[in-house]
C-alpha cells in the first residue's frame, strides 16, 4: 500500500500562499515519483489567523500541527498587523508559540552558494568561493523567551517631567538546553567537515560563559574528533563577511542566531533561496528563511525556491528520503544553471523571457524532477 504522510501546511501572510502552492507542487511530484502520498491540509497562522479569530496561533492549528508528520510553513507578518501596543496580537507570536509548543529547539539554516548565482553576492567571488555552512540556532530559549516587562512608572523620565517608561528582557538558559543544542551541532559537524564554531559573548554575559563551558565539556567528552572554536558574536559578524568559507557548523543562542543567519543569508545575495528546518523531539517544521515580503505580495513574482528547498529539507530530515531530497536540489540547480530566474535573482544580463513568475518557476522545478 502507498505510504501516506500528513503535512500540516501554514501559508500565513503576504507571499506565503503563493510560495507554499509551489512547495506542494513539488511534494506532489516527489510523491508520484517515489510512490508516497503527501496529504497536505491548510490551516491558519499569523495575520491571517488574527483576522479570522483574533489569535495568531489558534488551538486548531496547534492540534493539526501536532497530529501531522511534518509542518510546512511559508511566512507570517505584514504592515497590517504592525503595532507597538504590547497588548495587541502580532503575527510573529504565532511563530514563536508554535516553535515553543512543538519543542522545536534546533533551527538549521544551511547557507550554500548556487554556482549560477555566485554573481548575486555583494562579496568578491574569491571570498565566497566554497561557502557551505550550517547555522545551528537555539530556537526555544534565550532572549526571545525570557521574562520581559514594560512599565510606565519612571518618575520624571518622560517628556515634560511626566512618568516615563522602562522595560526589560531577560536572557536565560538551562544546562540541558545548551547540552542538547551543542550535541545537534556536533552531530551535524560529523556529517560535514568536522568543525564547530560556537558563537557567544562570554566576555560580557554570564549565560555565554555557561554556554562556552558546557559546549566544551560536551565536545571534549563526546566529540573529540570534531574541531571546536569559540568566536565572540561581534567578531563572528565580521568573520562571516571576512572569511565565510572557513565556517562549517556555527552554533549559537537564539537572538545571535537570528541576526547572524540573516547576515549569512546575505552572503549568498539571495534571501529567496534559503530554507530552514526547525527540529525537536517530535514533529518538525520547515520554512523559508525570508519573511512575508508584503511589498511584492499578490503579484505572482515571489521566488518560491526557498520554500521548495524547505521541502527538500523535509524529505531529508522528517522522511529519510535522501534520494528524493537530492533530486529536488539537483532540479533547482539545473533550473538555475539553465538561466531561469525570478525577478529577485535576475540581473541586467538575464533575458526577459527567462524571468519567471512564482508558478512558472515551480513548474520548471517540477519539470526537471
Ligand atoms: P522579508 O524577508 O519579508 O523581505 C525582505 C526583502 O526581500 C523584501 O524586499 C522582499 O520583497 C524580498 N523577499 C523576501 N522573500 C522573497 C522572495 N521569496 N522572493 C522575492 N523577494 C523576496 O523581510 P521584511 O521586509 O523585513 O519583513 C516583512 C514581514 O515579514 C514583516 O512583517 C516581518 O515581521 C515578517 N517576517 C516573517 C518571518 C517568518 O515568517 N519567518 C521572517 C522574517 C520576517
Amino acid at each position: 500500500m502507498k505510504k501516506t504522510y500528513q503535512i500540516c501546511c501554514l501559508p500565513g501572510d503576504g507571499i506565503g500562499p503563493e510560495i507554499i502552492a509551489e512547495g506542494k507542487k513539488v511534494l506532489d511530484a516527489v510523491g508520484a515519483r517515489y510512490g508516497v502520498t503527501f496529504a497536505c491540509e491548510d490551516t491558519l497562522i499569523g495575520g491571517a489567523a488574527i483576522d479570522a479569530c483574533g489569535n495568531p496561533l489558534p488551538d486548531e492549528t496547534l492540534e493539526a500541527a501536532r497530529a501531522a508528520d511534518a509542518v510546512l510553513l511559508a511566512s507570517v507578518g505584514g504592515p497590517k498587523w504592525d503595532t507597538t501596543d504590547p497588548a495587541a496580537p502580532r503575527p510573529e507570536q504565532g511563530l514563536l508559540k508554535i516553535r515553543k509548543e512543538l519543542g522545536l529547539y534546533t533551527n538549521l539554516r544551511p547557507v550554500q552558494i548556487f554556482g549560477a548565482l555566485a554573481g548575486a553576492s555583494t562579496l568578491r567571488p574569491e571570498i565566497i568561493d566554497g561557502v557551505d555552512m550550517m547555522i545551528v540556532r537555539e530556537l526555544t530559549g534565550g532572549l526571545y523567551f525570557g521574562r520581559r516587562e514594560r512599565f510606565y512608572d519612571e518618575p520624571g523620565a518622560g517628556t515634560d517631567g511626566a512618568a516615563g517608561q522602562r522595560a526589560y528582557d531577560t536572557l536565560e538558559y538551562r544546562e540541558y538546553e545548551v547540552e542538547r543544542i551543542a550535541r545537534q551541532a556536533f552531530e551535524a559537524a560529523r556529517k560535514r567537515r568536522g568543525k564547530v564554531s560556537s558563537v557567544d559573548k562570554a566576555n560580557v554575559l554570564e549565560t555565554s560563559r555557561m554556554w562556552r563551558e558546557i559546549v566544551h565539556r560536551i565536545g571534549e567528552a563526546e566529540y573529540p574528533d570534531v574541531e571546536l572554536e569559540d568566536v565572540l558574536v561581534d567578531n563572528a559578524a565580521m568573520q562571516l563577511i571576512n572569511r565565510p568559507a572557513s565556517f562549517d557548523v556555527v552554533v549559537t543562542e537564539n537572538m545571535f542566531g537570528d541576526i547572524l543567519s540573516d547576515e549569512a543569508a546575505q552572503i549568498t545575495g539571495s534571501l529567496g533561496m534559503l530554507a530552514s528546518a526547525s527540529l525537536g523531539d517530535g514533529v518538525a517544521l520547515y520554512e523559508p528563511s525570508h519573511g512575508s515580503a508584503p511589498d511584492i505580495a499578490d503579484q505572482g513574482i515571489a521566488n518560491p525556491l526557498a520554500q521548495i528547498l524547505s521541502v527538500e529539507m523535509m524529505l531529508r530530515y522528517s522522511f529519510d528520503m535522501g534520494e528524493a531530497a537530492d533530486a529536488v536540489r539537483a532540479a533547482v540547480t539545473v533550473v538555475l544553471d539553465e538561466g531561469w530566474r525570478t525577478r529577485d535573482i535576475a540581473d541586467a544580463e538575464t533575458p526577459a523571457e527567462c524571468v519567471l513568475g512564482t508558478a512558472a518557476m515551480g513548474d520548471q522545478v517540477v519539470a526537471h524532477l
Side-chain angles (χ1 to χ4, degrees), residues 92-334:
E92 293 74 18
Q93 290 166 337
L95 210 49
L96 293 180
K97 190 164 174 210
I98 198 169
R99 289 171 180 165
K100 191 77 178 177
E101 291 288 333
L102 298 180
L104 305 174
Y105 58 85
T106 305
N107 184 236
L108 298 180
R109 280 223 212 174
V111 178
Q112 284 164 322
I113 309 275
F114 284 90
L117 299 180
S121 175
T122 50
L123 298 185
R124 290 198 304 276
E126 67 269 25
I127 301 280
I128 60 162
D129 187 34
V131 167
D132 178 3
M133 74 180 102
M134 176 72 84
I135 301 203
V136 180
R137 167 186 168 196
E138 201 293 325
L139 203 60
T140 54
L143 195 61
Y144 290 177
F145 285 95
R147 268 171 297 117
R148 72 195 53 187
E149 214 167 346
R150 190 149 149 193
F151 306 87
Y152 298 85
D153 61 355
E154 190 83 333
T159 40
D160 302 329
Q165 299 185 46
R166 64 194 167 102
Y168 69 83
D169 299 271
T170 45
L171 201 179
E172 189 173 22
Y173 270 111
R174 288 182 164 68
E175 189 159 354
Y176 77 91
E177 294 176 305
V178 182
E179 285 174 351
R180 65 188 183 184
I181 195 76
R183 286 197 179 95
Q184 292 274 8
F186 286 118
E187 290 291 337
R190 265 193 181 155
K191 296 194 194 110
R192 296 169 49 90
R193 302 196 302 281
K195 181 178 170 192
V196 168
S197 304
S198 173
V199 173
D200 62 36
K201 187 71 182 167
N203 53 342
V204 179
L205 302 175
E206 200 52 48
T207 36
S208 284
R209 286 190 277 270
M210 183 184 84
W211 174 286
R212 191 176 280 207
E213 197 184 293
I214 295 169
V215 171
H216 277 264
R217 170 166 55 74
I218 302 271
E220 281 155 29
E222 299 171 33
Y223 303 91
D225 50 313
V226 176
E227 185 190 342
L228 172 63
E229 69 168 352
D230 300 302
V231 191
L232 291 172
V233 64
D234 36 356
N235 187 26
M238 291 195 285
Q239 299 310 330
L240 277 175
I241 299 295
N242 206 22
R243 52 170 180 95
S246 74
F247 289 101
D248 179 15
V249 171
V250 176
V251 62
T252 192
E253 184 267 339
N254 200 341
M255 183 182 73
F256 296 161
D258 189 6
I259 297 169
L260 292 181
S261 53
D262 268 20
E263 184 190 357
Q266 212 44 53
I267 294 169
T268 68
S270 35
L271 190 57
M273 297 297 304
L274 297 166
S276 80
S278 301
L279 316 174
D281 298 321
V283 64
L285 181 149
Y286 301 87
E287 60 179 315
S289 297
H290 58 73
S292 59
D295 51 331
I296 57 163
D298 302 319
Q299 296 175 37
I301 57 171
N303 182 349
L305 294 177
Q307 182 84 75
I308 289 170
L309 292 168
S310 68
V311 166
E312 177 214 333
M313 294 190 86
M314 176 188 287
L315 296 168
R316 214 177 280 289
Y317 291 98
S318 281
F319 304 133
D320 208 17
M321 294 176 68
E323 194 190 319
D326 289 346
V328 172
R329 175 158 285 265
V332 170
T333 306
V334 175

